[in-house]
């Protein structure tokens, strides 16, 4: 249990939202595991009174969540394009020829593999999930299977030299000891290098009622102020802040060695000084839960069958929070080979490949990976039934101008 703030060290953490006891979002079950007890843990959000940092009360051991990992970056061509663009822009700005680019949380290596050879930079991925680093190495990306720590940073710097660019996308929220992480970045980053990170934006989560992005892997829910506070404690400065739509709304920070922060931070910090309305958030979550359950009950009452599209971590949270079992949602399809043949954590929908839709011809497809709506609806061109999003299903998706 966290007793102090991960960013400022403050000791006053106020409980702001409770999702109850939930299974692990990426804990997809094999059929053999069905009759065994499923690991579950409370999902309680707290907000630091001093700096506004939002974080989970309970910390699940990282090895339980990341030693073997189901999510693969390469599962979305749009995401690979996004990370490729981030890397090329950053390499152009910070990485002279022949210098080192390190990705922390490199997953299956899809992002680093997308760097064209003509950039002539050395690449190194770091990720603890052996099942994914095997895929990365097979695709030619040099990768270390380990958690990123200050100690590992020292070893990498000794063997490969310091990095001109360090990238960490959707991974800093997974890290419990952010002080050790920052010391590792300081140790590995060249004096004139850049650390570029992307994390979900907590204020967008709140504004969009994205409660299904709250899960055990995400220990922290960041905004700019607390991150600037954290980096300042480690001789690092935030040089630039951008917001983008990735994963439902993300912050991209460019961090350098140094003190003080750029004007971007003060502009964000002022805005981020708002007082967050967590009661309104809880009420909206309940309304979304009721609307989704009613929509599914109506579809069943009409004799329809609904198949979920995408088995993202967020689907686990939403199905469990809404109490949606196989009676309301028969099964789910997903393009990730390692998820097919498994079952959803907690609610136990079987997960098939996307071809199941053509075979079973459901009356409705419910897009569970709402952040990939466009890409998924594009793959349903040949499907003649209704398509809805798990977020406000009644609006339907066909009408969206794809
Ligand atoms: O922070 C995290 C984010 C970045 O990724 C991790 N902790 C876990 C993971 O979250 P997620 O599982 O919610 O990520 P996605 O990208 O929303 O997952 C999408 C799922 O949908 C994947 O399992 C792949 C699947 N998919 C598909 O079947 N067909 C995705 C697309 C685009 C498709 O066309
Ligand atoms: Zn704090």
């Amino acid at each position: 249990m966290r007793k102090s703030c991960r960013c400022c060290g403050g000791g006053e953490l106020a409980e702001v939202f409770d999702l109850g006891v939930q299974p692990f979002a990426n804990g997809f079950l094999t059929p053999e595991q069905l009759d065994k007890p499923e690991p579950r843990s409370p999902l309680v959000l707290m907000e630091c009174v001093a700096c506004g940092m939002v974080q989970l009360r309970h910390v699940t051991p990282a090895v339980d969540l990341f030693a073997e990992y189901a999510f693969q970056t390469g599962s979305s061509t749009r995401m690979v394009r996004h990370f490729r663009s981030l890397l090329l822009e950053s390499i152009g700005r910070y990485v002279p020829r022949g210098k080192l680019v390190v990705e922390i949380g490199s997953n299956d290596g899809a992002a680093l593999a997308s760097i064209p050879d003509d950039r002539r930079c050395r690449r190194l991925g770091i990720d603890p999930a052996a099942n994914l680093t095997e895929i990365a190495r097979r695709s030619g990306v040099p990768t270390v299977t380990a958690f990123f720590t200050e100690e590992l940073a020292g070893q990498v710097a000794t063997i490969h030299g310091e990095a001109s660019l360090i990238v960490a996308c959707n991974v800093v929220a997974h890290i419990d000891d952010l002080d050790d992480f920052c010391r590792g970045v300081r140790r590995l980053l060249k004096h004139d290098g850049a650390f570029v990170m992307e994390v979900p934006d907590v204020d967008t989560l709140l504004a969009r009622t994205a409660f299904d992005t709250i899960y055990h892997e995400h220990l922290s829910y960041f905004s700019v102020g607390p991150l600037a506070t954290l980096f300042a404690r480690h001789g690092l400065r935030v040089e630039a802040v951008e917001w983008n739509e990735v994963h439902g709304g993300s912050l991209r920070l460019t961090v350098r060695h140094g003190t003080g922060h750029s004007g971007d931070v003060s502009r964000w910090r002022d805005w981020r000084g708002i007082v967050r309305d967590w009661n309104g958030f809880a009420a909206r979550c309940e309304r979304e839960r009721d609307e989704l359950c009613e929509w599914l009950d109506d579809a069943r009452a009409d004799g329809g069958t609904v198949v979920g599209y995408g088995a993202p971590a967020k689907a686990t949270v939403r199905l469990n929070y809404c109490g949606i079992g196989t009676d309301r949602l028969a099964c789910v399809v997903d393009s990730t080979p390692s998820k097919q043949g498994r079952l959803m954590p907690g609610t136990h929908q079987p997960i098939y490949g996307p071809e199941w839709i053509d075979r079973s011809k459901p009356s409705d497809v419910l897009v569970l990976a709402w952040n990939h709506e466009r890409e998924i609806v594009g793959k349903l061109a040949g499907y003649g039934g209704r398509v809805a999003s798990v977020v406000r299903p009644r609006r339907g998706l066909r009408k969206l101008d794809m």
Side-chain angles (χ1 to χ4, degrees):
M1 297 251 275
R2 281 299 302 193
K3 298 268 189 259
S4 64
C5 171
R6 251 187 218 91
C7 277
C8 76
E12 200 180 345
L13 300 175
E15 179 176 325
V16 291
F17 187 59
D18 185 348
L19 266 162
V21 177
Q22 287 247 1
F24 296 150
N26 272 308
F28 299 99
L29 301 172
T30 62
E32 298 71 31
Q33 289 169 321
L34 259 185
D35 55 5
K36 297 188 181 64
E38 260 183 277
R40 289 172 174 271
S41 175
L43 263 183
V44 179
L45 271 189
M46 306 185 299
E47 188 172 53
C48 172
V49 172
C51 78
M53 165 72 175
V54 179
Q55 48 214 303
L56 291 186
R57 168 176 290 150
H58 299 83
V59 178
T60 304
V63 68
D64 293 356
L65 297 173
F66 302 110
E68 197 221 343
Y69 199 53
F71 170 77
Q72 283 187 233
T73 305
S75 61
S76 161
T77 45
R78 190 172 137 265
M79 289 311 297
V80 175
R81 263 202 314 273
H82 169 78
F83 293 130
R84 181 177 191 275
S85 140
L86 179 156
L87 281 166
L88 296 188
E89 183 188 325
S90 306
I91 289 168
R93 213 175 272 168
Y94 304 110
V95 185
R97 279 185 182 287
K99 297 302 179 190
L100 180 64
V101 176
V102 171
E103 183 179 11
I104 301 169
S106 51
N107 196 274
D108 57 5
L112 287 175
S114 73
I115 302 173
D117 292 341
D118 65 8
R119 293 303 175 113
R120 295 198 194 294
C121 53
R122 289 179 294 123
R123 302 167 300 172
L124 183 70
I126 299 173
D127 197 287
N131 63 311
L132 296 175
T133 54
E134 180 52 39
I135 296 170
R137 280 189 285 270
R138 278 207 303 269
S139 63
V141 177
T143 303
V144 175
T145 305
F147 287 98
F148 181 77
T149 61
E150 181 185 10
E151 184 186 2
L152 181 77
Q155 293 163 0
V156 169
T158 305
I159 298 166
H160 300 275
E162 292 176 340
S164 296
L165 175 65
I166 300 175
V167 173
C169 293
N170 302 301
V171 64
V172 182
H174 300 167
I175 292 168
D176 187 19
D177 186 343
L178 290 177
D179 289 319
D180 178 74
F181 177 81
C182 287
R183 289 193 297 269
V185 168
R186 260 181 71 82
R187 173 67 186 84
L188 183 55
L189 188 65
K190 273 169 69 70
H191 70 281
D192 59 351
F195 167 50
V196 179
M197 60 177 276
E198 272 192 2
V199 285
D201 169 29
V202 70
D203 291 299
T204 308
L205 182 162
L206 214 60
R208 296 184 176 179
T209 319
F211 65 88
D212 53 0
T213 59
I214 300 168
Y215 38 85
H216 302 100
E217 296 175 13
H218 292 173
L219 295 171
S220 302
Y221 298 78
F222 290 116
S223 51
V224 175
L227 282 168
T229 302
L230 169 73
F231 290 129
R233 291 199 290 110
H234 291 277
L236 297 166
R237 70 183 294 272
V238 178
E239 187 165 272
V241 181
E242 298 162 77
W243 184 92
N244 62 54
E245 272 289 349
V246 158
H247 283 295
S250 293
L251 294 167
R252 178 183 297 179
L253 272 68
T254 302
V255 180
R256 315 291 298 274
H257 286 286
T259 56
H261 296 301
S262 72
D264 274 10
V265 173
S266 50
R267 273 190 292 280
W268 279 80
R269 190 197 294 263
D270 295 346
W271 190 72
R272 290 288 181 272
I274 55 175
V275 175
R276 298 187 178 115
D277 173 15
W278 290 101
N279 293 327
F281 176 73
R284 291 196 303 277
C285 292
E286 287 158 18
R287 274 202 303 277
E288 284 210 11
R289 175 196 62 200
D290 297 345
E291 180 184 338
L292 178 57
C293 289
E294 282 158 21
W295 183 87
L296 286 164
D297 292 343
D298 290 351
R300 185 171 43 167
D302 294 346
T305 49
V306 185
V307 168
Y309 201 118
K314 55 180 75 71
T316 302
V317 177
R318 193 174 286 261
L319 295 179
N320 281 278
Y321 170 77
C322 297
I324 294 171
T326 50
D327 54 338
R328 284 180 161 138
L329 184 69
C331 64
V332 173
V333 300
D334 192 289
S335 61
T336 312
S338 62
K339 293 184 182 180
Q340 293 165 11
R342 293 198 176 215
L343 300 107
M344 291 302 292
T347 51
H348 302 167
Q349 283 83 1
I351 303 169
Y352 304 117
E355 68 285 350
W356 177 260
I357 288 177
D358 292 338
R359 278 176 36 204
S360 63
K361 301 207 182 316
S363 59
D364 295 83
V365 167
L366 183 66
V367 176
L368 302 178
W370 47 260
N371 51 314
H372 295 297
E373 263 173 22
R374 196 173 294 274
E375 191 169 349
I376 289 173
V377 172
K379 292 179 181 172
L380 289 169
Y383 165 64
R386 287 181 300 228
V387 182
S389 166
V390 73
V391 178
R392 292 185 303 285
R394 293 197 188 287
R395 69 184 162 109
L397 279 181
R398 281 288 186 209
K399 295 189 283 294
L400 282 188
D401 52 336
M402 286 298 114

